[in-house]
Amino acid sequence: MIERDDDDEDPAGEDDLGLEDEEGLGDPAFADIDALLVRTRKKLDAWNDFSSDEGRKNLMLRDPTYDAAGRFARWQDILEEGRGLPAALAAAVALDAWLWLEPSERAGELGFALAATVLRQRELAQAHLPTVGVGLRRGKFRWSPHLALSARVEGLLGAFGEAAAFGQRDLDRLSLARTLMLRRCEGRRGNSKLADLVDLFVSSPLVTVQLAAARLQVTPQAIEAMLKELSGSLPRELTGRKRYRAWGIL
């Protein structure tokens, strides 16, 4: 019988001890993952408490050196200096300054609405805000901070003209469609709502039977009958379906 020496090492026991030590110390490879999980948990907690100011602050990634208030103040100074300029030029200068200064980290498109507001205040647009950004998307000019100031403003003025031409073409198309539909309203009784349906088509990009019935306060069956009366002048049907149909002037 072979007796085991007490001084002999137990390989199995040594391996077990080694595993326990490694588990106790933790694997450094997972340290980054653990830190990421902690940050994720903080973000989720902030989202659950989003109604508080602290929650909003935790969710927003901000550049600590970004002086939004100072940039906005400089933009307001430029806007004030442009009050003596013609309306279109003042709007172009205001938009150029907004794109150049970037007073807001996350609302770059707000500059287009503000430029449109300048045009409206000068009574170049009375009932709506003109979509000045359409001209930049449709035209060839592309604004860049590397261009000279004169080239940037000239390009924006050209974009305004392109937007105005596009809007005029839209108005002409809507006016023609309205004229054709109103011909079907001639000789109708005074309480007929066919003309109201025509105006609804002109003012809404998409009209359904349910929408028209709710707006005109009639039954869906009455709307169906009026649609048949419009016949060939009826706007284009957009869905291509027999149920849940919708019409619009494209």
Side-chain angles (χ1 to χ4, degrees), residues 72-100:
F72 187 72
R74 290 171 59 191
W75 179 80
Q76 284 183 309
D77 292 339
I78 296 175
L79 182 66
E80 188 66 28
E81 292 174 0
R83 291 191 178 276
L85 300 174
L89 182 57
V93 170
L95 178 55
D96 176 76
W98 185 275
L99 296 175
W100 177 271

Side-chain angles (χ1 to χ4, degrees), residues 51-249:
S51 58
S52 67
D53 293 338
E54 187 64 27
R56 296 191 188 96
K57 187 181 298 183
N58 291 337
L59 282 175
M60 294 183 180
L61 301 178
R62 295 185 177 276
D63 182 1
T65 63
Y66 196 92
D67 185 14
R71 296 185 184 207
F72 187 72
R74 290 171 59 191
W75 179 80
Q76 284 183 309
D77 292 339
I78 296 175
L79 182 66
E80 188 66 28
E81 292 174 0
R83 291 191 178 276
L85 300 174
L89 182 57
V93 170
L95 178 55
D96 176 76
W98 185 275
L99 296 175
W100 177 271
L101 295 172
E102 296 183 350
S104 175
E105 292 182 83
R106 294 174 178 80
E109 69 283 355
L110 183 59
F112 294 95
L114 294 173
T117 303
V118 173
L119 294 176
R120 186 176 182 181
Q121 289 177 341
R122 301 292 190 90
E123 299 183 355
L124 288 187
Q126 298 180 1
H128 65 284
L129 288 179
T131 53
V132 297
V134 171
L136 280 178
R137 292 195 298 269
R138 297 179 63 87
K140 296 181 179 180
F141 172 75
R142 294 295 178 265
W143 187 93
S144 171
H146 303 294
L147 297 174
L149 175 60
S150 58
R152 298 199 308 266
V153 173
E154 181 182 358
L156 290 176
L157 288 173
F160 290 176
E162 181 68 27
F166 175 79
Q168 187 60 53
R169 290 193 295 269
D170 243 6
L171 290 175
D172 292 342
R173 183 167 50 83
L174 291 172
S175 178
L176 177 60
R178 184 174 184 272
T179 300
L180 294 176
M181 287 188 288
L182 285 178
R183 290 178 181 176
R184 299 285 181 173
C185 302
E186 296 177 356
R188 301 289 173 178
R189 293 176 298 179
N191 61 350
S192 174
K193 292 194 174 182
L194 187 59
D196 296 333
L197 179 60
V198 170
D199 290 336
L200 181 61
F201 277 124
V202 174
S203 61
S204 300
L206 184 146
V207 176
T208 64
V209 172
Q210 292 75 17
L211 172 66
R215 293 284 183 88
L216 304 184
Q217 297 182 351
V218 296
T219 63
Q221 291 77 13
I223 297 297
E224 293 281 2
M226 285 189 281
L227 292 175
K228 292 179 180 179
E229 292 179 9
L230 289 176
S231 184
S233 61
L234 183 68
R236 179 182 176 183
E237 205 279 316
L238 303 177
T239 62
R241 303 174 60 181
K242 294 183 178 180
R243 299 181 62 185
Y244 307 109
R245 295 174 297 169
W247 296 263
I249 302 175

Side-chain angles (χ1 to χ4, degrees), residues 38-50 55 58:
V38 171
R39 293 197 301 270
T40 303
R41 174 54 57 189
K42 290 181 179 180
K43 293 293 183 182
L44 291 175
D45 293 341
W47 177 263
N48 293 331
D49 193 26
F50 185 65
N58 291 337

